[in-house]
Amino acid sequence: MTVNFAILGAGRIGQVHARAVTATPGARLVAISDPMAEAAGKVAEAYGCDIRSIDEIAASDDVQAVAICTPTNTHADLIEQFARAGKAVFCEKPIDLNLNRVKTCLDTVAAEKATLMVGFNRRFDPDFMALKAAIDQGRIGAVEMVTVSSRDPGAPPADYIKVSGGIFRDMTIHDFDVARWLLGEEIETVQAAASVLTDPEIGTLGDYDSVNVILTTASGKHCTITNSRRATYGYDQRIEVLGSKGAVSAENHREANIEIADAEGFHRPPLLNFFMSRYTQAYANEIAAFVAAVAQGAATPTTGQDGLMALALAEAALKSVAEGRAVKLAEVLDGA
Amino acid sequence: MTVNFAILGAGRIGQVHARAVTATPGARLVAISDPMAEAAGKVAEAYGCDIRSIDEIAASDDVQAVAICTPTNTHADLIEQFARAGKAVFCEKPIDLNLNRVKTCLDTVAAEKATLMVGFNRRFDPDFMALKAAIDQGRIGAVEMVTVSSRDPGAPPADYIKVSGGIFRDMTIHDFDVARWLLGEEIETVQAAASVLTDPEIGTLGDYDSVNVILTTASGKHCTITNSRRATYGYDQRIEVLGSKGAVSAENHREANIEIADAEGFHRPPLLNFFMSRYTQAYANEIAAFVAAVAQGAATPTTGQDGLMALALAEAALKSVAEGRAVKLAEVLDGA
Amino acid sequence: MTVNFAILGAGRIGQVHARAVTATPGARLVAISDPMAEAAGKVAEAYGCDIRSIDEIAASDDVQAVAICTPTNTHADLIEQFARAGKAVFCEKPIDLNLNRVKTCLDTVAAEKATLMVGFNRRFDPDFMALKAAIDQGRIGAVEMVTVSSRDPGAPPADYIKVSGGIFRDMTIHDFDVARWLLGEEIETVQAAASVLTDPEIGTLGDYDSVNVILTTASGKHCTITNSRRATYGYDQRIEVLGSKGAVSAENHREANIEIADAEGFHRPPLLNFFMSRYTQAYANEIAAFVAAVAQGAATPTTGQDGLMALALAEAALKSVAEGRAVKLAEVLDGA
Amino acid sequence: MTVNFAILGAGRIGQVHARAVTATPGARLVAISDPMAEAAGKVAEAYGCDIRSIDEIAASDDVQAVAICTPTNTHADLIEQFARAGKAVFCEKPIDLNLNRVKTCLDTVAAEKATLMVGFNRRFDPDFMALKAAIDQGRIGAVEMVTVSSRDPGAPPADYIKVSGGIFRDMTIHDFDVARWLLGEEIETVQAAASVLTDPEIGTLGDYDSVNVILTTASGKHCTITNSRRATYGYDQRIEVLGSKGAVSAENHREANIEIADAEGFHRPPLLNFFMSRYTQAYANEIAAFVAAVAQGAATPTTGQDGLMALALAEAALKSVAEGRAVKLAEVLDGA
């Protein structure tokens, strides 16, 4: 069975997914939708698909699945619309910046028995998958401590930061999901510290640029997350897991695998500088996984619940910073 | 201008180039040719192109360029046929196993003023290109010594070895071309040693599986090449260049960039095990470079002359092994 | 001027310092003291020094400096005795497990205008010194985040744990000092999480084996510390510092710098497994630094105040774990 | 039994061995000899030993072993004198620059049934020992190819080069010994290339600064050696061995194990820049091994025969360069 796709949103990430759909055996790109006619036109031309409105897509018999690549504040409504329309839905994180809205959205998805996959690309990165496989194969025994280092080359523009929900909901959210994925046990407590160190303007906007988080599960496993909005040496994405029998780590990706030696020492190129080049394969893999799940009527590897939990962890981290204390995840989930 | 392509040969490498042509902006795959109808059919279906005979392609007005991916013993004839037909020709190395046949073929190409690019994929590997760029930028000063380590995971089947022309013409030929590319000066002398260490059957076939070569230029620069047909840890492809101000090296590619630590130590996965996965990007880049040259009417980055010189170095290496002496390249080139 | 030394305590660390004193130009080992005659005798024989009682050493005119290598619960009394006796004092960390006792001890040292150096060996490790030098040279700009990973190969015996003051005072204390050293600014707030994951007996003793800490300075700089009492792959000692212009990190030390490749991949030996082999050079360097300070009448590179602050951070971490909140260092320092 | 030592020659290497003897349990430094009274005096003072003439040492009942650290042209005579005097002899390589003189010297040693160890420090380097142990444990199967990369930071002064016997006898000789050690089979054939690339003055002196060698054993195993008198990035000393089941390599030693990341990439310090700091432990280990052999009346791990063979390989390499052909080692050994 071929899964016929429509993509909502022809921006940067919509283009990435258009390419991924086209390159995935068993998937076909049928339509693109975007309020900007020119953007939609480019995708339509590049991949030979129709341009349709969102409502037309919802009503299209020849579309089984959609990928929502529109701005965050439209995600929840679109998920509900397409869940009701009987389409399988792939949505970029987050579902919404408001935890209650995420909950009502997921209630609708559940009521419609719809398929929803939330895009957490880290889980589909080949190196991180190899790291997870090593854990699952028992190579390091029982997981005890996860360390996630995630640093952006530079901060996004102020306009983006304003609508981003803040660093915990925008950037750390990926690492919260990685923590849940690798700890293999739900997180109970969140301790967080947050500062403005790279650019005072970020503070003016009410956000942080440098954060550290300790997550603790019921059995006492830990995950530490370190984030910065600035890393001059490139897009820094490392994971390390300590277990009872050993440890496993995933290394960064460089622009080229060469080394120059001279009188000053040994020099290697900076890291890949952009999340799209760093996670090219991850984006392709997550679409392929969604297609496989839809084609087989199987559960998707990441779910709306994963989106909810990562957002709840972000809320708890914010609360921990604000109140200077360890926050139970239950406080946030029940309060929402 | 779009460059319309036909591919001759729908085998493994033909499929690689079909994908590369399709993925290259400015190129279009028009036709595939293969005596095996099924093989041709698969490519035609996958990429939506025609199936034509070789003679039909030579006569096709809608084809500007061909990629020759047929068995080695057909290369020279096809190059001549398509040079005469006014097509730009991309041909996998080698042009022929016989040096004189290569020369007459190149004479025809010259007489027809045809465009011919011989595929030496190493030159288009992103890491090796970064290494070359570092040299060209003067990062290591004047090149003095090049070291090429090239080891295959395992020997090819006996049937292949029989028609391969032997390890120097089949495997070391890539490294000879790398040597010329990086030394920046023609090679004058060849000293080689060759053994059968991995499989006695290879010796029975009159070939070697383990060879080492020292190349020397007129000004005394050296390149050493070490080859083995067996490397249990994967496809080993390293280059190191020493210069007057420093050195530059390119590292191997692993299956995954992870490391596992346990009581026995630290463990990383083996190398990529197959030349096609190791050089995926190189194959794409060399087609893109050919397309760019054809579209602009510019010289191709590798030429028939490069193919001739690499083969001559292979001849000289064989002669050095047979006669136990340093062989001047001129002896082989003049004698041919 | 030669600095004449006596060493108090002929145990493991006393022997290390005896060797260091002997190997340091400008220092001479005059006497060893230990209640165990056999232990004292071995050192006396190995290094050709006298055996004297502690009181005899305090009264010895030919001794200018002592290294206190006795059990922790004797440190404060001995520091006071030798400060009053006019000797320069080198004391292994900690001064005492009780913060008030440390304060009164330091008051005595101050009143006597005595020289006191507390042994924090990390600051004298050649790699960590090179890392610090890179920071001081401005190579990474302003320090923003320090990450210290410190894991022991295995937990000490229960008898040791009972008198150790717990993991924060015994193990993390080194990392607290490293944090202060590298942040270049006093720590204001401590957030800590602690678990028992490697051995339930450690929990029975009221201690933890797995801890993570976030330290924050007044200007918002962070340090995260991760500790475990178990690392199957050896003694794991890493530091990483992120700054405004870059980052610097120090790598672990392996048993041998070799790598074995086979069909399973690439394998390197485990880390050095013992703190004394890992920090051999650091122990020698710290004694040499003490000798230099005493000989020149200069300030010692680490002081009693450093010992006090590291212990206060341990107290704050314990309080943070107990009360589930961020603890101001001032609470602990003022309350003590 | 304590082995009482005298050291002949109080220069740089004599001082290294004086320290090694002093630090070796079971060895005692009894006397130093040097025509320069000041040099001898410094060693005598530093280590508390006598100053004696060479003849006095030969006649001393309280000396069982000597380390010959005098200029090369005195080695053979001194070996013979002390072999006749019944002393165990440790001599720095080479025994002599003339192969016939080496042979007659070894004849004397044999006739006297004397103990002679020639110092090849590489065999006693901890990393290279770990590499050899991995081979001996069967970790890489049967050895097939050895690659030795050995590059000096800079050329020695012209005065040294004049009496050095040339690069093959002075520098490559270490690598020839490493080749024999690791191949586990005698070398049959030598092919060498040599150039002057770093400094024309070296050519004026009749020497080379850049050489590459291929060694082949009777069964076809290879060793390649690459040498340069210039490496801006430090003292480059690497070994790599390919076997039927895998490979093992030893890495270089850096000045510090840190890495700095910035906008230009990742930077590590240069290599240790001096053979004495790189091989400190190797020098200590080789003296300890000699002491152990003398104390136990056992064979020394390296012998006069090893010195002879390494020199013969140097002769063969020179002949190969001069005559442009593969030279059988037997030609040199028989002809000598």
Side-chain angles (χ1 to χ4, degrees):
Chain A
M1 171 198 157
T2 296
V3 178
N4 286 342
F5 257 87
I7 291 180
L8 316 184
R12 204 163 60 173
I13 193 73
Q15 292 167 37
V16 167
H17 288 320
R19 196 175 314 125
V21 167
T22 308
T24 304
R28 199 165 68 90
L29 184 60
V30 168
I32 179 78
S33 178
D34 199 289
M36 311 276 282
E38 194 186 332
K42 273 192 188 166
V43 170
E45 187 184 42
Y47 299 104
C49 68
D50 292 350
I51 301 176
R52 299 183 194 166
S53 73
I54 283 180
D55 290 344
E56 285 169 354
I57 290 171
S60 295
D61 284 345
D62 64 344
V63 170
Q64 285 97 46
V66 295
I68 300 177
C69 306
T70 54
T72 295
N73 60 1
T74 66
H75 286 185
D77 289 350
L78 289 172
I79 290 173
E80 291 178 337
Q81 175 177 6
F82 283 88
R84 289 193 183 107
K87 310 301 186 199
V89 179
F90 177 93
C91 183
E92 276 305 309
K93 66 92 197 161
I95 294 173
D96 195 273
L97 296 177
N98 180 289
L99 206 53
N100 275 325
R101 182 68 188 93
V102 173
K103 282 186 174 180
T104 58
C105 177
L106 295 187
D107 287 346
T108 302
V109 170
E112 298 291 337
K113 295 193 169 57
T115 294
L116 171 62
M117 176 163 164
V118 174
F120 282 114
N121 57 12
R122 268 69 167 170
R123 295 204 195 193
F124 301 93
D125 175 72
D127 289 346
F128 298 163
M129 289 170 77
L131 175 146
K132 180 67 158 70
I135 296 171
D136 292 346
Q137 289 155 13
R139 295 291 300 272
I140 66 163
V143 168
E144 292 172 0
M145 284 192 190
V146 175
T147 307
V148 183
S149 298
S150 176
R151 295 168 182 160
D152 285 353
D159 281 350
Y160 178 88
I161 289 182
K162 281 177 200 165
V163 300
S164 69
I167 190 171
F168 288 119
R169 288 193 193 92
D170 179 58
M171 182 175 170
T172 325
I173 196 166
H174 281 293
D175 307 314
F176 288 133
D177 184 64
V178 166
R180 292 182 62 242
W181 182 45
L182 296 178
L183 286 169
E185 189 181 309
E186 285 301 341
I187 289 150
E188 202 177 66
T189 315
V190 179
Q191 292 165 281
S195 301
V196 178
L197 296 172
T198 74
D199 184 355
E201 195 195 356
I202 292 174
T204 310
L205 299 170
D207 199 0
Y208 308 103
D209 56 21
S210 305
V211 306
N212 280 282
V213 185
I214 304 174
L215 307 173
T216 308
T217 69
S219 73
K221 299 176 183 197
H222 290 172
C223 174
T224 57
I225 298 170
T226 186
N227 284 168
S228 173
R229 286 287 195 186
R230 178 171 63 197
T232 60
Y233 51 89
Y235 189 38
D236 190 359
Q237 299 281 294
R238 284 169 292 153
I239 299 177
E240 179 183 323
V241 185
L242 177 70
S244 55
K245 291 187 190 162
V248 59
S249 57
E251 297 156 22
N252 273 313
H253 290 206
R254 286 167 213 287
E255 288 175 359
N257 299 300
I258 67 165
E259 185 170 59
I260 295 172
D262 59 24
E264 272 68 49
F266 290 75
H267 314 284
R268 291 184 289 170
L271 305 182
L272 288 175
N273 208 35
F274 188 40
F275 72 93
M276 289 207 176
S277 43
R278 170 63 183 82
Y279 286 118
T280 305
Q281 193 58 47
Y283 283 115
N285 288 350
E286 72 178 2
I287 288 296
F290 177 63
V291 167
V294 172
Q296 298 159 23
T300 56
T302 50
T303 64
Q305 179 66 13
D306 292 322
L308 174 71
M309 294 302 283
L311 187 68
L313 288 163
E315 298 276 324
L318 270 171
K319 201 177 180 72
S320 174
V321 171
E323 304 180 9
R325 64 178 182 88
V327 172
K328 297 276 176 195
L329 188 62
E331 298 177 46
V332 171
L333 282 171
D334 298 347
Chain B
M1 170 200 155
T2 296
V3 178
N4 287 339
F5 257 88
I7 290 180
L8 316 184
R12 207 163 56 173
I13 194 72
Q15 293 168 38
V16 167
H17 288 320
R19 197 175 313 126
V21 167
T22 308
T24 302
R28 200 164 68 88
L29 184 60
V30 168
I32 178 80
S33 177
D34 199 291
M36 311 276 286
E38 195 186 330
K42 275 192 186 166
V43 169
E45 188 184 40
Y47 300 102
C49 70
D50 292 349
I51 302 176
R52 299 184 193 165
S53 74
I54 284 179
D55 288 345
E56 284 168 354
I57 290 171
S60 296
D61 285 345
D62 63 346
V63 169
Q64 286 96 44
V66 295
I68 300 177
C69 306
T70 53
T72 295
N73 60 1
T74 67
H75 286 185
D77 289 349
L78 288 172
I79 290 171
E80 291 179 336
Q81 176 177 5
F82 284 88
R84 290 192 182 107
K87 311 301 185 196
V89 178
F90 176 94
C91 182
E92 277 305 309
K93 66 90 198 163
I95 295 172
D96 195 273
L97 297 176
N98 181 290
L99 207 53
N100 276 323
R101 181 68 188 93
V102 173
K103 285 186 172 181
T104 58
C105 177
L106 295 186
D107 287 345
T108 301
V109 170
E112 299 290 337
K113 295 193 169 55
T115 295
L116 170 62
M117 174 164 167
V118 173
F120 282 115
N121 56 13
R122 267 69 166 170
R123 295 204 194 193
F124 300 93
D125 175 71
D127 289 346
F128 298 162
M129 289 170 77
L131 174 147
K132 179 67 160 69
I135 296 171
D136 292 346
Q137 290 154 13
R139 295 289 301 271
I140 66 164
V143 168
E144 293 173 359
M145 283 192 191
V146 175
T147 307
V148 183
S149 298
S150 176
R151 294 167 183 161
D152 285 352
D159 281 351
Y160 178 88
I161 288 181
K162 280 177 201 166
V163 299
S164 69
I167 188 168
F168 289 117
R169 289 194 194 92
D170 179 58
M171 181 175 170
T172 323
I173 197 166
H174 281 293
D175 307 315
F176 287 132
D177 183 64
V178 166
R180 291 183 62 244
W181 183 44
L182 297 178
L183 285 168
E185 188 181 309
E186 286 300 342
I187 290 150
E188 201 176 68
T189 316
V190 179
Q191 291 164 281
S195 301
V196 178
L197 296 172
T198 74
D199 183 354
E201 195 194 357
I202 292 173
T204 309
L205 299 170
D207 199 1
Y208 308 102
D209 54 23
S210 305
V211 306
N212 280 282
V213 184
I214 303 174
L215 307 172
T216 307
T217 70
S219 74
K221 300 177 184 198
H222 289 170
C223 173
T224 56
I225 299 170
T226 185
N227 285 170
S228 173
R229 287 286 197 187
R230 177 171 63 197
T232 60
Y233 50 89
Y235 188 39
D236 189 357
Q237 298 282 294
R238 284 171 290 153
I239 298 176
E240 179 183 323
V241 186
L242 177 71
S244 56
K245 292 188 189 163
V248 59
S249 57
E251 297 156 23
N252 273 313
H253 290 206
R254 284 166 216 286
E255 288 174 1
N257 299 300
I258 66 166
E259 184 169 62
I260 295 172
D262 60 24
E264 273 70 48
F266 290 74
H267 314 284
R268 291 185 289 171
L271 304 181
L272 289 175
N273 208 36
F274 188 41
F275 73 93
M276 290 208 175
S277 41
R278 170 64 183 83
Y279 287 117
T280 304
Q281 192 60 47
Y283 281 115
N285 289 350
E286 72 177 3
I287 288 296
F290 176 63
V291 167
V294 172
Q296 298 159 20
T300 55
T302 51
T303 64
Q305 180 67 10
D306 293 321
L308 174 72
M309 294 302 282
L311 187 69
L313 288 163
E315 298 277 323
L318 269 171
K319 200 175 180 73
S320 175
V321 171
E323 303 180 8
R325 65 179 182 89
V327 172
K328 298 275 176 196
L329 189 60
E331 298 178 44
V332 172
L333 282 171
D334 299 347
Chain C
M1 170 199 156
T2 296
V3 178
N4 286 339
F5 258 87
I7 290 179
L8 316 184
R12 205 163 57 173
I13 193 71
Q15 291 168 38
V16 167
H17 288 320
R19 198 175 312 126
V21 167
T22 308
T24 303
R28 201 165 68 89
L29 184 61
V30 169
I32 178 80
S33 177
D34 199 289
M36 310 276 284
E38 195 187 331
K42 273 192 188 168
V43 170
E45 187 183 39
Y47 300 103
C49 70
D50 292 350
I51 301 177
R52 298 183 194 166
S53 75
I54 283 178
D55 290 344
E56 285 168 354
I57 290 171
S60 295
D61 285 344
D62 65 345
V63 169
Q64 286 97 44
V66 295
I68 300 177
C69 307
T70 54
T72 295
N73 60 0
T74 67
H75 286 186
D77 289 350
L78 288 172
I79 289 171
E80 291 178 336
Q81 176 176 4
F82 283 89
R84 290 194 182 103
K87 310 300 187 200
V89 179
F90 176 93
C91 184
E92 277 304 310
K93 68 89 200 163
I95 295 173
D96 195 273
L97 296 177
N98 181 290
L99 207 52
N100 276 324
R101 182 67 188 93
V102 173
K103 283 185 172 181
T104 59
C105 177
L106 294 187
D107 287 346
T108 303
V109 170
E112 298 290 338
K113 295 191 170 56
T115 295
L116 170 62
M117 175 164 165
V118 173
F120 282 114
N121 58 13
R122 266 72 167 170
R123 294 203 196 194
F124 301 93
D125 174 71
D127 289 345
F128 297 162
M129 291 170 77
L131 174 146
K132 180 68 158 70
I135 295 171
D136 292 346
Q137 289 155 13
R139 295 290 301 270
I140 66 163
V143 168
E144 293 173 359
M145 284 191 190
V146 176
T147 306
V148 183
S149 299
S150 177
R151 294 169 182 160
D152 285 352
D159 282 351
Y160 178 88
I161 288 181
K162 280 178 200 164
V163 300
S164 69
I167 188 170
F168 287 118
R169 289 194 192 91
D170 179 58
M171 183 175 170
T172 325
I173 196 165
H174 281 293
D175 307 314
F176 288 132
D177 184 63
V178 166
R180 291 182 62 242
W181 183 45
L182 297 178
L183 285 168
E185 188 181 310
E186 286 300 342
I187 289 150
E188 201 177 65
T189 316
V190 179
Q191 291 164 281
S195 302
V196 178
L197 296 172
T198 74
D199 183 354
E201 195 194 355
I202 292 174
T204 309
L205 298 169
D207 199 1
Y208 307 103
D209 56 20
S210 304
V211 305
N212 281 281
V213 184
I214 303 173
L215 306 172
T216 308
T217 70
S219 73
K221 298 177 183 198
H222 290 171
C223 174
T224 56
I225 299 171
T226 186
N227 284 168
S228 172
R229 286 289 196 185
R230 178 173 61 198
T232 59
Y233 50 90
Y235 189 38
D236 189 358
Q237 299 280 295
R238 284 170 291 153
I239 298 177
E240 180 183 322
V241 185
L242 177 71
S244 56
K245 292 188 190 162
V248 58
S249 58
E251 296 157 21
N252 274 312
H253 290 205
R254 285 167 214 287
E255 289 175 359
N257 299 301
I258 66 166
E259 183 169 61
I260 296 173
D262 60 23
E264 272 70 48
F266 290 74
H267 314 283
R268 291 185 288 172
L271 305 181
L272 289 174
N273 208 35
F274 187 40
F275 72 95
M276 291 208 173
S277 42
R278 170 62 183 83
Y279 286 117
T280 305
Q281 193 58 47
Y283 282 115
N285 288 351
E286 72 177 4
I287 287 296
F290 177 64
V291 167
V294 172
Q296 298 159 21
T300 55
T302 51
T303 64
Q305 180 66 12
D306 292 323
L308 174 70
M309 294 302 281
L311 188 67
L313 287 164
E315 298 276 324
L318 269 171
K319 201 175 181 71
S320 174
V321 171
E323 303 180 8
R325 64 179 182 88
V327 172
K328 298 274 175 197
L329 189 60
E331 298 178 45
V332 171
L333 282 171
D334 298 345
Chain D
M1 170 199 157
T2 295
V3 178
N4 286 341
F5 257 88
I7 290 179
L8 317 183
R12 204 163 59 172
I13 193 71
Q15 292 168 38
V16 167
H17 288 320
R19 196 174 315 126
V21 166
T22 309
T24 302
R28 201 164 68 88
L29 184 60
V30 168
I32 178 78
S33 176
D34 199 289
M36 311 276 283
E38 195 186 332
K42 273 192 187 166
V43 170
E45 188 184 38
Y47 300 102
C49 70
D50 293 350
I51 301 176
R52 299 183 194 166
S53 74
I54 283 179
D55 289 344
E56 284 168 355
I57 290 171
S60 295
D61 284 346
D62 64 346
V63 170
Q64 285 97 44
V66 295
I68 300 176
C69 307
T70 53
T72 295
N73 61 0
T74 66
H75 286 185
D77 289 350
L78 288 172
I79 290 171
E80 291 178 337
Q81 175 177 5
F82 283 88
R84 289 193 183 105
K87 311 301 185 197
V89 178
F90 177 93
C91 182
E92 277 305 311
K93 67 91 200 164
I95 295 173
D96 195 273
L97 296 177
N98 180 291
L99 207 53
N100 276 324
R101 182 68 187 93
V102 174
K103 283 186 173 181
T104 59
C105 177
L106 294 187
D107 287 345
T108 303
V109 170
E112 298 291 338
K113 295 192 168 59
T115 295
L116 171 63
M117 176 163 164
V118 173
F120 283 114
N121 57 13
R122 268 68 166 171
R123 295 203 194 195
F124 300 93
D125 174 71
D127 289 346
F128 297 163
M129 290 169 78
L131 176 145
K132 180 68 158 70
I135 296 171
D136 292 345
Q137 289 154 15
R139 295 290 299 272
I140 65 163
V143 168
E144 292 172 0
M145 284 192 191
V146 175
T147 307
V148 183
S149 298
S150 176
R151 294 168 182 161
D152 285 353
D159 281 351
Y160 178 88
I161 288 181
K162 281 177 200 165
V163 299
S164 70
I167 189 170
F168 288 118
R169 288 193 193 92
D170 180 59
M171 181 175 171
T172 325
I173 196 166
H174 281 293
D175 307 315
F176 287 133
D177 183 63
V178 165
R180 291 183 62 243
W181 184 43
L182 296 178
L183 285 169
E185 188 181 310
E186 285 301 343
I187 289 150
E188 202 177 67
T189 316
V190 179
Q191 291 163 283
S195 302
V196 179
L197 296 172
T198 74
D199 184 355
E201 196 195 356
I202 293 174
T204 311
L205 299 170
D207 199 1
Y208 308 103
D209 56 21
S210 305
V211 305
N212 280 282
V213 184
I214 303 173
L215 306 172
T216 307
T217 70
S219 73
K221 299 177 183 196
H222 291 172
C223 174
T224 57
I225 298 171
T226 186
N227 284 170
S228 173
R229 286 287 195 188
R230 175 170 65 196
T232 59
Y233 51 90
Y235 189 39
D236 190 358
Q237 299 280 294
R238 284 171 291 153
I239 299 176
E240 179 183 324
V241 186
L242 176 71
S244 55
K245 292 187 188 164
V248 59
S249 57
E251 297 156 21
N252 273 312
H253 290 206
R254 286 168 213 286
E255 288 174 0
N257 299 300
I258 66 166
E259 184 170 60
I260 295 172
D262 60 24
E264 272 70 48
F266 290 74
H267 314 283
R268 291 185 290 172
L271 304 182
L272 288 174
N273 208 34
F274 188 41
F275 72 92
M276 289 208 175
S277 43
R278 170 63 183 82
Y279 286 118
T280 305
Q281 192 59 47
Y283 282 115
N285 288 351
E286 73 176 4
I287 288 296
F290 177 62
V291 167
V294 173
Q296 298 159 23
T300 55
T302 51
T303 65
Q305 180 66 14
D306 292 322
L308 174 69
M309 294 301 281
L311 188 68
L313 288 163
E315 299 275 326
L318 270 171
K319 201 175 181 72
S320 174
V321 172
E323 303 180 9
R325 64 178 182 89
V327 172
K328 297 275 175 195
L329 188 61
E331 298 177 45
V332 171
L333 282 171
D334 298 346

